[in-house]
């Protein structure tokens, strides 16, 4: 854990989280849809988030991607490419920390099997209620994580912006916006 002084003469304690995420999209008549999960844990609770998450001990990044997408959406991904890495820093009270540094490794999923489930099996550590296809025009700062906004930007521009973002404010929603 790293510490940094803030402008209030206090000390901010940083929690660092690393996650692996998949961008799964499909073309529709009036644009593109992105596969998102309904998040019910962590700082993105009650927002849309990308399928993905943290590595288990001994996993390769691609193994984490495959496992997390299966657990959160029911899809078996069969072809994917790594896009890049980005981080988001924002205030979030977790354990004894006051700030979160969320490091995200993005993959584009090119093909998959199975049907997306809108309700997935719940178990300890499961932070997805299920997955849904959402038109990119319906995704905004008010209803999704910054991870989803990065994916949306990539889908709309065809370019991955690897620049991190620092937020001065962040709210964990008490009620779902999905």
């Amino acid at each position: 854990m790293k510490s940094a002084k803030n402008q209030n003469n206090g000390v901010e304690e940083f929690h660092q989280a690393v996650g692996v995420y998949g961008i799964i999209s499909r073309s529709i008549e009036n644009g593109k849809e992105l596969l998102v999960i309904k998040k019910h844990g962590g700082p993105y609770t009650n927002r849309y988030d990308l399928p993905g998450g943290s590595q288990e001990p001994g996993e390769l990044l691609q193994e984490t991607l495959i496992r997390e997408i299966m657990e959160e959406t029911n899809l078996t991904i069969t072809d994917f490419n790594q896009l890049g890495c980005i981080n988001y820093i924002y205030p979030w009270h977790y354990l004894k920390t006051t700030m979160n540094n969320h490091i995200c490794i993005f993959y584009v999923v090119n093909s998959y099997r199975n049907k997306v489930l809108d309700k997935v099996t719940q178990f300890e550590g499961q932070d997805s209620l299920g997955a849904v296809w959402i038109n990119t025009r319906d995704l905004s700062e008010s209803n999704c994580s910054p991870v989803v906004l990065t994916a949306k930007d990539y889908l709309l521009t065809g370019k991955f912006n690897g620049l991190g973002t620092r937020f001065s404010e962040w709210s964990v929603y008490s009620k779902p916006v999905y």
Side-chain angles (χ1 to χ4, degrees):
M1 228 182 296
K2 298 177 183 177
S3 296
K5 288 194 176 189
N6 67 20
Q7 295 176 342
N8 299 329
N9 294 328
V11 174
E12 296 173 338
E13 294 291 330
F14 279 80
H15 173 260
Q16 185 162 290
V18 178
V20 180
Y21 299 91
I23 298 173
I24 306 170
S25 66
R26 65 184 184 188
S27 294
I28 56 173
E29 189 174 314
N30 58 347
K32 290 191 181 226
E33 288 183 321
L34 179 64
L35 186 65
V36 294
I37 63 165
K38 296 173 279 185
K39 193 76 163 188
H40 82 107
Y44 308 142
T45 295
N46 293 320
R47 298 175 191 253
Y48 292 122
D49 197 16
L50 277 189
S54 301
Q55 282 183 297
E56 290 184 355
E59 275 186 329
L60 297 171
L61 291 174
Q62 63 268 23
E63 292 168 337
T64 302
L65 181 72
I66 292 166
R67 176 184 52 78
E68 285 283 347
I69 288 177
M70 171 56 83
E71 290 173 357
E72 296 182 347
T73 70
N74 190 53
L75 295 181
T76 300
I77 59 173
T78 56
D79 184 46
F80 47 88
N81 299 59
Q82 192 179 98
L83 256 185
C85 184
I86 193 170
N87 73 315
Y88 314 98
I89 296 175
Y90 49 85
W92 182 49
H93 293 275
Y94 177 70
L95 301 175
K96 294 182 180 183
T97 64
T98 59
M99 296 293 289
N100 195 45
N101 181 16
H102 187 193
I103 301 167
C104 304
I105 302 160
F106 286 87
Y107 284 81
V108 174
V109 174
N110 303 311
S111 63
Y112 53 86
R113 295 188 313 265
N114 299 342
K115 181 182 174 187
V116 171
L117 295 181
D118 64 348
K119 292 181 182 170
V120 292
T121 303
Q122 297 300 299
F123 54 86
E124 187 175 340
Q126 173 68 288
D127 59 2
S128 169
L129 294 174
V132 292
W133 292 100
I134 302 288
N135 191 308
T136 56
R137 72 169 182 244
D138 297 326
L139 296 168
S140 68
E141 289 181 22
S142 65
N143 68 2
C144 62
S145 71
V147 182
V148 170
L149 294 178
T150 297
K152 175 184 174 178
D153 184 61
Y154 169 76
L155 291 175
L156 296 178
T157 67
K159 297 177 183 174
F160 181 75
N161 177 354
L163 298 176
T165 304
R166 186 182 310 271
F167 298 89
S168 59
E169 295 180 8
W170 184 258
S171 298
V172 177
Y173 292 161
S174 58
K175 294 180 182 176
V177 293
Y178 37 75

